[in-house]
Amino acid sequence: MPAAISVAGRRVECTEDQSILEAFLRAGIWMPNSCNQGTCGTCKLQVVCGEVDHRESPLDTLTAEERAAGLALACQARPLAETEVALRGSETGRTTHVLRDLTATIIAVEEIARDTRRVLLGLEEPLAFSAGQYVELLVPGTSERRPYSLANTAEEDKVLELHVRRVPGGVASEWLFGPVRVGDRVEVRGPLGDFHVPDADQDAGEPMVLIGGGTGLAPLLGIARTALERHPDRVVVLYHGVRVEADLYDADRLEELAAGYPGFSYVTVLSRESVPGHRNGYAPDAFVEDVASARGWSGWLCGPPPMVEAGVKAFKRRRMAPRLIHREKFAAADAPAP
């Protein structure tokens, strides 16, 4: 039976197969979210009254002590009766895009780098989202969903662009690097995540630095293009860090941005080989070498957790305000279906 749940005076019905987070997002009510797998803790909230089933909430993300204190993970928990929750932060009433289920058609699959493909999904109706968010794909023939960041701007809402890295044995990789064909249909859920550009009326046009590791470049492309379209003269510096030159991609798109916007520049960084024209080492270190002070800048990080954590330290070292640091850590690698 559905159970009602409310936050900040807004009340929705939560079905037995829904999490608290999904119920609110489908109703267009914002709630902080990132990995949506119970591993990051972004969606942790306070149960004010009522009772919830914590279901698959990991103990290392939501401890026994936190559960006893009335905390819950919105992406995992479900209300068992009439329940009221409260967000732990000060942000309430933010706008959000409604979470939707759509069927897409694969219209292109392109090899763009070593073990990396670009996949384009055509939609029959547009999907409203903010640049930087992600969608989940239901892997055909399974019950497994996998998240992929969008490389689009919000205006590119009928053809979604995903950058996919091969993970040996991964259930999604086995499909997207195997039997997938143009014309195939796939179920899509989204948009998800709080890693995205602010609304236009809240965008001050401050300088930006973006650091992406591997396919972490995808959401940064949408964010950078959106930021530059809004403020064509703003300073935007993008670092793309990979292991070897064969992992780099979309140099032509980045060069086009650099040619069209005087404040945009990009740096490619290789951690496991030295090649003329590219920096050697790690992208966060390259940023520290290049920028003496990032006071007043915003920072955007997307990629493997160690890179993101190093990037946060680098930004703080250069005096970037913590509130202006935005991060998206890759979820656990695509794994075999259980």
Side-chain angles (χ1 to χ4, degrees), residues 152-227:
N152 305 75
T153 65
E155 292 71 30
E156 299 164 341
D157 56 4
K158 289 199 70 175
V159 176
L160 306 182
E161 178 180 342
L162 316 179
H163 299 171
V164 181
R165 182 178 67 87
R166 183 198 297 268
V167 177
V171 62
S173 292
E174 292 295 318
W175 165 53
L176 289 169
F177 285 84
V180 67
R181 295 290 182 271
V182 170
D184 286 353
R185 305 279 278 174
V186 59
E187 301 303 313
V188 178
R189 178 167 68 184
L192 291 159
D194 286 341
F195 185 76
H196 59 76
V197 292
D199 294 340
D201 60 356
Q202 298 175 350
D203 186 348
E206 77 283 350
M208 301 171 66
V209 56
L210 307 94
I211 300 180
T215 54
L217 176 65
L220 302 185
L221 285 172
I223 290 171
R225 289 187 293 137
T226 300

Side-chain angles (χ1 to χ4, degrees), residues 1 3-5 14 18-20 51-53 77-83:
M1 294 290 292
I5 186 163
C14 185
Q18 285 183 327
S19 66
I20 292 171
E51 184 180 1
V52 302
D53 176 359
R78 180 191 178 276
L80 295 175
E82 183 88 19
T83 300

Side-chain angles (χ1 to χ4, degrees), residues 49 102 121 125 147 152 164 188 220 226 238 274 284 303 305 318 323 335:
C49 65
L102 299 171
L121 304 177
E125 53 186 282
N152 305 75
V164 181
V188 178
L220 302 185
T226 300
L238 187 151
S274 296
R318 288 296 180 253
R323 64 180 179 83

Side-chain angles (χ1 to χ4, degrees), residues 15-301:
T15 62
E16 292 185 7
D17 61 344
Q18 285 183 327
S19 66
I20 292 171
L21 177 64
E22 182 180 352
F24 280 125
L25 293 182
R26 288 191 182 281
I29 300 172
W30 176 80
M31 185 162 284
N33 69 101
S34 182
C35 77
N36 297 307
Q37 297 179 13
T39 58
C40 71
T42 300
C43 64
K44 201 173 290 184
L45 48 70
Q46 181 72 48
V47 178
V48 178
C49 65
E51 184 180 1
V52 302
D53 176 359
H54 293 287
R55 298 200 289 189
E56 302 301 320
S57 300
L59 279 170
D60 54 355
T61 308
L62 186 73
T63 66
E65 291 77 11
E66 289 177 317
R67 296 167 198 239
L71 297 182
L73 295 177
C75 72
Q76 301 297 313
R78 180 191 178 276
L80 295 175
E82 183 88 19
T83 300
E84 179 183 356
V85 299
L87 304 185
R88 297 195 304 155
S90 58
E91 292 183 288
T92 56
R94 279 178 47 178
T95 59
T96 190
H97 299 292
V98 174
L99 179 65
R100 299 171 58 200
D101 296 306
L102 299 171
T103 300
T105 301
I106 294 179
I107 60 175
V109 179
E110 174 191 5
E111 305 285 342
I112 55 175
R114 183 185 71 159
D115 291 330
T116 307
R117 285 185 165 185
R118 187 191 328 276
V119 178
L120 300 184
L121 304 177
L123 303 177
E124 293 181 358
E125 53 186 282
L127 174 68
F129 62 90
S130 296
Q133 290 190 289
Y134 70 89
V135 295
E136 291 181 338
L137 304 189
L138 177 64
V139 181
T142 79
S143 60
E144 299 293 312
R145 295 183 180 274
R146 294 293 184 266
Y148 294 100
S149 295
L150 298 172
N152 305 75
T153 65
E155 292 71 30
E156 299 164 341
D157 56 4
K158 289 199 70 175
V159 176
L160 306 182
E161 178 180 342
L162 316 179
H163 299 171
V164 181
R165 182 178 67 87
R166 183 198 297 268
V167 177
V171 62
S173 292
E174 292 295 318
W175 165 53
L176 289 169
F177 285 84
V180 67
R181 295 290 182 271
V182 170
D184 286 353
R185 305 279 278 174
V186 59
E187 301 303 313
V188 178
R189 178 167 68 184
L192 291 159
D194 286 341
F195 185 76
H196 59 76
V197 292
D199 294 340
D201 60 356
Q202 298 175 350
D203 186 348
E206 77 283 350
M208 301 171 66
V209 56
L210 307 94
I211 300 180
T215 54
L217 176 65
L220 302 185
L221 285 172
I223 290 171
R225 289 187 293 137
T226 300
L228 291 166
E229 288 167 5
R230 291 177 179 173
H231 301 277
D233 295 324
R234 83 194 301 167
V235 172
V236 178
V237 184
L238 187 151
Y239 292 83
H240 189 197
V242 297
R243 295 178 178 180
V244 298
E245 187 179 33
D247 294 329
L248 291 171
Y249 63 92
D250 275 358
D252 54 342
R253 299 175 79 177
L254 297 171
E255 290 170 0
E256 184 178 345
L257 281 178
Y261 297 96
F264 177 79
S265 60
Y266 74 96
V267 180
T268 50
V269 187
L270 311 180
S271 64
R272 296 194 178 178
E273 68 178 4
S274 296
V275 177
H278 309 294
R279 301 278 282 278
N280 180 244
Y282 296 95
D285 296 333
F287 160 76
V288 170
E289 294 170 4
D290 295 344
V291 178
S293 173
R295 187 186 296 274
W297 292 39
S298 64
W300 302 79
L301 298 154

